[in-house]
Amino acid sequence: MSRSAVLCGLGSWLPPRCVTNDELSAELDTSDAWIRSRTGIGQRHVADASVATSDLAVEAGARALKSAQISSVDAVILATATPDRLCPATAPGVTARLGLGRVPAFDVAAVCTGFLYALATAAGLIAAGTADRVLVIGADTFSRILDPADRSTRAIFGDGAGAAVLRAGQPHEPGALGAVQLGSDGSDADLIRIPSGGSRDPFRAATAHEADPYFRMAGRAVFRRAVECMAESSRRALAESGWAVGDVDQLVSHQANLRIMHALADQLVLDRERCAIHLDRVGNTSAASVPLALADAVAGGTVRPGHRLLLTAFGGGLTWGACTLRWPDVEPA
């Protein structure tokens, strides 16, 4: 019988510091009403200057291992768009700090879709027999790459990390990942980008004044593509799993913007009340978004064992994806 990846542990971590809309309004030309009406966000968590993405990843990873009641894995995959450094990858350092030994560890860069890409990669390692247990982490410190004067991005993004442990199991047991659908469209890569700092436009002392090291996003175009692509991949995942939309107990989508989440539910003809909502308290946490929303929904009792879940996300690249999952009897840590 074929091996499947089964979720057996879930962990989450948010930096203690919380920044409200009113605090942002004291710095920028905005207001609590403006931010809430356009995004649905009331606050976000921001890491202290001494805290890096790896620190958040270690905290979430440790909690996922605790939830799974294990102390070792065969591989670690870290999804992030804000690594500690351009080189080396952040995952090996996180693995060492977690005391997981010399197992393979690597980063996945798919921005807000990163966690789903990492889940799919982990499932492939398990299906191939390369690994029996994989720790998957989504972590980002987007506060480090935002333009201090850009209210449109500072209002949206926050910092955080979420993690899951996958183990080898059987396709029909609770927690087994169902159909996974992934996609990308590099022709629209400029809709979500950091213009400077890579090999295309490296930092140089002579041209430092011309560099743009901040995250940029074409909001209206991203809104349209996000709804379109998440709806398409979600329908494909549901069809492959043999589920109807009405079978879905909870839609756990990337927490990008409340309007996007509601528009997605409407496209799928799914009751908006079945959408897991977490961004009102944490904002858009990029690769951490889906696992954080999932952990919050489980902790709050919205997601219970046996529930049929549809996970979906959209991010830079452009990238997107969706997968189905029947929730097991797992408590987040």
Side-chain angles (χ1 to χ4, degrees):
M1 184 176 291
S2 62
R3 290 159 52 104
S4 288
V6 178
L7 191 149
C8 63
L10 186 65
S12 64
W13 178 253
L14 292 164
R17 183 186 171 210
C18 183
V19 177
T20 65
N21 291 345
D22 288 334
E23 287 181 71
L24 282 184
S25 300
E27 301 178 37
L28 301 167
D29 179 20
T30 189
S31 67
D32 176 67
W34 187 90
I35 296 171
R36 287 182 187 272
S37 66
R38 286 162 176 78
T39 69
I41 297 168
Q43 62 184 35
R44 72 285 301 146
H45 290 254
V46 176
D48 291 339
S50 62
V51 176
T53 294
S54 62
D55 299 316
L56 304 183
V58 167
E59 294 285 357
R63 283 162 173 74
L65 293 170
K66 179 180 179 181
S67 170
Q69 300 182 23
I70 62 172
S71 58
S72 65
V73 294
D74 302 307
V76 176
I77 306 173
L78 171 62
T80 186
T82 55
D84 286 9
R85 304 176 182 89
L86 288 177
C87 179
T90 303
V94 169
T95 302
R97 289 173 59 186
L98 287 171
L100 296 175
R102 302 171 68 179
V103 301
F106 55 94
D107 294 359
V108 168
V111 197
C112 300
T113 319
F115 187 75
L116 288 186
Y117 267 61
L119 281 183
T121 304
L125 292 176
I126 290 172
T130 304
D132 289 327
R133 294 188 296 203
V134 182
L135 173 61
V136 176
I137 307 172
D140 271 306
T141 49
F142 252 64
S143 61
R144 303 296 162 75
I145 60 173
L146 301 180
D147 183 343
D150 185 356
R151 70 173 182 174
S152 65
T153 55
R154 285 194 63 194
I156 293 173
F157 289 94
D159 303 333
V165 176
L166 301 182
R167 63 165 176 82
Q170 302 304 317
H172 300 295
E173 65 177 294
L177 290 187
V180 178
Q181 291 287 329
L182 303 175
S184 76
D185 182 4
S187 66
D188 276 335
D190 284 347
L191 293 181
I192 300 173
R193 72 198 189 285
I194 299 176
S196 301
S199 63
R200 177 68 63 189
D201 183 17
F203 288 122
R204 294 286 186 265
T207 57
H209 62 287
E210 300 174 358
D212 184 357
Y214 296 121
F215 177 85
R216 305 296 181 189
M217 180 170 64
R220 290 184 180 180
V222 167
F223 187 113
R224 178 179 60 81
R225 292 301 307 275
V227 175
E228 169 192 302
C229 295
M230 285 194 289
E232 178 188 7
S233 58
S234 293
R235 292 189 188 102
R236 290 177 180 273
L238 290 172
E240 188 176 335
S241 296
W243 294 5
V245 172
D247 294 330
V248 176
D249 294 297
Q250 281 288 300
L251 170 63
V252 185
S253 69
H254 168 49
Q255 309 283 298
N257 177 303
L258 188 59
R259 289 180 174 182
I260 289 177
M261 296 163 69
H262 283 167
L264 172 62
D266 294 345
Q267 281 281 320
L268 295 173
V269 195
L270 182 70
D271 192 331
R272 290 182 179 183
E273 293 184 358
R274 296 190 186 186
C275 296
I277 306 296
H278 192 220
L279 90 162
D280 56 328
R281 287 154 284 155
V282 302
N284 180 340
T285 55
S286 190
S289 176
V290 169
L292 282 175
L294 181 55
D296 179 73
V298 175
T302 306
V303 168
R304 298 185 295 276
H307 273 184
R308 294 186 178 189
L309 309 182
L310 173 62
L311 314 182
T312 186
F314 176 89
L318 299 173
T319 59
W320 58 85
C323 75
T324 57
L325 169 68
R326 191 185 294 273
W327 189 248
D329 188 9
V330 169
E331 291 294 326

